[in-house]
């Protein structure tokens, strides 16, 4: 059975500045926390960094051509804050503004709508030096930076996405140190949570102040798909606790205007939340047009009665107040990230979101998978190789079908962005994991279509699965 997507459904591909741009010393860019973090031996699995990445800084015309060939209607890219404001309290860096203007204009010429993420983790190091997201000032500086973008790029951007995955920013950056800036401090992680909520609200206000109500504004969350392993009360309580600290800490302030009081109770041994000031709730709670949702996998959880966490627990120590949340080892065929595949959970979550906020459309701003691709030499092929990636094709099919099932059952889903257009710098895992539908040869920077790119092109062309 073929499912045809709504006429105005948006198909796109996604990337992020630090993961693809390279050129970290060009255009007057300041250092970001990821430059600093990558320089510490042991932080990145292969000792690499985003110094060269996919060189999209120079190769964006070629990458835009690839997107035209794929037939996608939108490109989700991010702006590197350290390119735009290169000094603390300093002036706007014109070279940085000019660079993104060129990219956005090239996208317009190609007929591809930019969905621009304003923060995808590359905080200027000079702000981390003042406390980073644990310091309220970072939210205020974010608003200043966003005002510059709204002013400069107002007529070039289709969708403004304030933040990418504040969960990762707060809990991996400040909780377990798996991401930059590499801190292990749950109190700071919760302060970061709050300041990110504030930054989101301030950014929406800055965009509206410049562009008014017609600007299309979103935020992207990696809502955790926590599944209670049984209906036993302690397992349901574990799911509730994981949902609260992973998801509700953002959904509450951003979409409902308040933190669930249970959050304060659950974390009172960690912090007194005195960083929440009068008026913050109103600031964080700004009307938005779309909710961005990044979905990859699920977490099966059990309560305290169960045994200790398995080795390599993905959540170990990232979030506070998880003492009675045991994450079970992932089951079934795992991706190269060690993540399980459970597309039905995507359908279920989309339906839940639409039930809870019926007037808020949801866009899948990232979905994809990493695998060992099958590369064989073929001198006649472009790039000299042929790449087969049957598992990525299967994952793509299954998850696009899951989105279709949600729409069919009444969910309000308006777009799907494949993560990623290209293989790229996979954060702490460096270049060891490939998520691209297009392969990057990091020696030559050749772009080579994988089977999944052809498959995605067919889905996009048909607007159907
Ligand atoms: C996204 O993060 C990012 O937005 C993107 O930049 C990245 O390249 C892509 O996904 C692929 O990883 O193991 O402790 O992180 C996804 C982040 C992945 C966060 C699953 C939660 C489980 C817990 N999410 N993860 S942990």
């Amino acid at each position: 059975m073929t499912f045809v997507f709504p006429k105005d459904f948006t198909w796109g591909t996604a990337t992020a500045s630090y993961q693809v741009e390279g050129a970290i010393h060009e255009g007057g860019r300041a250092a970001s926390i990821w430059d600093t973090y990558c320089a510490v031996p042991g932080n990145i699995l292969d000792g690499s960094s985003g110094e060269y990445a996919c060189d999209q800084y120079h190769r964006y015309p070629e990458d835009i051509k690839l997107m035209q060939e794929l037939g996608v209607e939108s490109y989700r890219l991010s702006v590197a804050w350290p390119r735009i404001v290169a000094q603390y309290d300093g002036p706007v860096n014109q070279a940085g503004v000019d660079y993104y203007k060129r990219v956005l204009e090239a996208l317009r010429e190609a007929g591809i709508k930019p969905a621009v993420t304003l923060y995808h983790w590359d905080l200027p190091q000079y702000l981390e030096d003042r406390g980073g997201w644990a310091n309220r000032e970072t939210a205020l500086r974010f608003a200043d930076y966003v005002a510059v973008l709204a002013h400069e790029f107002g007529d070039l951007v289709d969708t403004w996405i304030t933040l990418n995955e504040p969960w990762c920013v707060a809990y991996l950056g400040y909780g377990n140190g798996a991401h930059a800036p590499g801190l292990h401090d749950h109190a700071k992680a919760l302060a970061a949570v709050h300041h990110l909520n504030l930054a989101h609200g301030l950014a929406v206000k800055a965009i509206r102040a410049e562009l008014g109500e017609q600007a299309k504004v979103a935020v992207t969350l990696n809502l955790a798909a926590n599944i209670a392993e049984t209906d036993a009360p302690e397992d349901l309580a574990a799911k509730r606790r994981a949902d609260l600290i992973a998801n509700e800490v953002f959904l509450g302030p951003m979409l409902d205007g308040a933190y669930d009081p249970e959050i304060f109770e659950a974390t009172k041994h960690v912090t007194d939340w005195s960083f929440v000031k009068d008026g913050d709730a109103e600031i964080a709670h700004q009307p938005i047009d779309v909710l961005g949702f990044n979905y990859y996998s699920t977490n099966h959880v059990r309560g305290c009665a169960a045994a200790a966490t398995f080795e390599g627990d993905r959540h170990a120590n990232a979030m506070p107040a998880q003492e009675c949340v045991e994450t079970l080892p992932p089951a079934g065929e795992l991706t190269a990230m060690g993540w399980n595949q459970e597309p039905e959970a995507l359908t279920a979550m989309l339906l839940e979101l639409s039930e809870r906020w019926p007037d808020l459309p949801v866009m899948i701003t990232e979905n994809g998978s990493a695998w060992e691709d099958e590369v064989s030499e073929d001198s006649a092929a472009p790039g000299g190789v042929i790449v087969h990636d049957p598992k990525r094709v299967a994952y793509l099919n299954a998850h696009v079908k899951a989105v279709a099932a949600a729409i069919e059952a009444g969910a309000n889903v308006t777009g799907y962005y494949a993560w990623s257009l290209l293989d790229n710098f996979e954060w702490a895992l460096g270049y060891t994991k490939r998520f691209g539908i297009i392969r990057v040869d990091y020696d030559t920077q050749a772009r080579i279509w994988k089977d999944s790119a052809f498959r995605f092109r067919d889905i996009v062309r048909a607007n159907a699965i």
Side-chain angles (χ1 to χ4, degrees):
M1 270 277 292
T2 305
F3 175 84
V4 180
F5 283 82
K7 250 203 192 68
D8 50 1
F9 192 83
T10 302
W11 297 99
T13 53
T15 64
S17 47
Y18 192 72
Q19 295 182 273
V20 299
E21 282 179 1
I24 59 173
H25 303 297
E26 290 181 52
R29 175 187 178 279
S32 85
I33 55 173
W34 275 92
D35 300 307
T36 310
Y37 187 75
C38 292
V40 178
N43 278 350
I44 310 299
L45 188 62
D46 58 3
S48 68
S49 75
E51 183 168 3
Y52 301 106
C54 311
D55 193 34
Q56 189 172 82
Y57 188 82
H58 298 110
R59 292 169 197 265
Y60 68 87
E62 181 185 346
D63 290 344
I64 291 172
K65 228 172 259 154
L66 290 171
M67 286 185 269
Q68 278 186 303
E69 285 160 19
L70 283 165
V72 294
E73 292 132 17
S74 180
Y75 180 35
R76 175 171 178 248
L77 69 160
S78 78
V79 172
W81 185 351
R83 291 197 188 279
I84 303 294
V85 188
Q87 292 165 48
Y88 180 69
D89 230 1
V92 172
N93 175 36
Q94 195 55 43
V97 170
D98 291 346
Y99 165 67
Y100 289 108
K101 257 196 192 152
R102 287 197 295 278
V103 175
L104 294 170
E105 275 162 6
L107 285 166
R108 173 151 73 187
E109 268 160 46
I112 296 170
K113 292 186 196 152
V116 178
T117 309
L118 310 180
Y119 185 72
H120 200 129
W121 307 353
D122 38 6
L123 186 73
Q125 180 61 43
Y126 60 73
L127 287 178
E128 188 55 43
D129 295 342
R130 305 173 69 91
W133 287 109
N135 178 8
R136 184 180 180 90
E137 191 201 1
T138 296
L140 309 181
R141 297 290 76 82
F142 183 63
D144 296 344
Y145 150 73
V146 172
V148 172
L149 301 185
H151 183 70
E152 296 287 346
F153 307 146
D155 54 339
L156 289 167
V157 170
D158 181 70
T159 303
W160 303 84
I161 302 172
T162 56
L163 303 173
N164 179 69
E165 302 189 348
W167 183 94
C168 293
V169 178
Y171 296 127
L172 301 182
Y174 298 83
N176 73 354
H179 281 184
L183 304 187
H184 302 77
D185 184 330
H186 283 160
K188 283 189 179 171
L190 290 174
V193 163
H194 182 63
H195 297 140
L196 286 155
N197 284 322
L198 200 62
H200 160 74
L202 290 169
V204 179
K205 282 166 78 98
I207 295 164
R208 302 252 185 250
E210 183 71 31
L211 302 169
E213 293 309 307
Q214 86 282 357
K216 204 204 283 178
V217 184
V219 64
T220 282
L221 303 177
N222 59 312
L223 298 170
N226 300 310
I227 298 171
E229 190 62 8
T230 77
D231 284 344
E234 67 269 22
D235 291 353
L236 294 173
K239 170 185 159 50
R240 169 75 184 149
R241 176 56 65 86
D243 282 351
L244 266 186
I245 306 300
N247 300 340
E248 298 304 325
V249 290
F250 301 111
L251 292 169
M254 289 182 185
L255 301 184
D256 293 338
Y259 288 104
D260 187 322
E262 227 181 303
I263 293 171
F264 301 132
E265 182 58 29
T267 58
K268 64 177 186 223
H269 60 297
V270 177
T271 176
D272 62 5
W273 289 80
S274 54
F275 41 76
V276 180
K277 307 292 181 203
D278 283 352
D280 285 2
E282 288 71 33
I283 296 173
H285 186 218
Q286 297 298 317
I288 56 172
D289 304 287
V290 186
L291 176 64
F293 175 25
N294 290 355
Y295 177 88
Y296 290 90
S297 185
T298 60
N299 308 309
H300 287 258
V301 297
R302 298 214 60 178
C304 249
T309 51
F310 74 97
E311 216 190 311
D313 187 337
R314 309 195 317 226
H315 287 151
N317 300 322
M319 292 188 283
Q322 304 297 296
E323 291 77 12
C324 275
V325 182
E326 183 205 9
T327 307
L328 297 170
E333 184 185 40
L334 308 185
T335 71
M337 298 293 279
W339 300 346
N340 62 317
Q341 305 178 65
E342 205 167 344
E344 320 81 69
L346 173 57
T347 308
M349 284 189 81
L350 287 170
L351 284 165
E352 262 176 51
L353 290 170
S354 280
E355 224 163 87
R356 192 162 157 194
W357 295 283
D359 299 326
L360 185 62
V362 179
M363 256 186 355
I364 304 298
T365 39
E366 285 179 29
N367 174 246
S369 55
W371 301 98
E372 299 289 340
D373 296 330
E374 299 164 16
V375 184
S376 48
E377 291 190 15
D378 181 334
S379 54
V385 292
I386 289 184
V387 189
H388 294 305
D389 61 340
K391 311 248 176 191
R392 191 176 288 99
V393 171
Y395 181 101
L396 172 68
N397 283 331
H399 288 77
V400 172
K401 276 186 193 152
V403 175
I407 296 174
E408 220 163 14
N412 186 2
V413 190
T414 58
Y416 176 96
Y417 290 76
W419 184 272
S420 174
L421 172 67
L422 303 169
D423 292 337
N424 60 48
F425 176 73
E426 180 50 31
W427 306 112
L429 299 176
Y431 298 98
T432 65
K433 299 288 177 262
R434 294 174 178 270
F435 273 90
I437 59 173
I438 292 176
R439 182 178 176 89
V440 174
D441 178 329
Y442 292 111
D443 295 328
T444 62
Q445 288 294 347
R447 272 68 165 144
I448 303 136
W449 285 47
K450 306 181 190 180
D451 291 343
S452 55
F454 290 106
R455 176 66 189 131
F456 193 51
R457 184 190 63 183
D458 291 345
I459 292 172
V460 172
R461 271 189 190 159
N463 192 38
I465 183 118

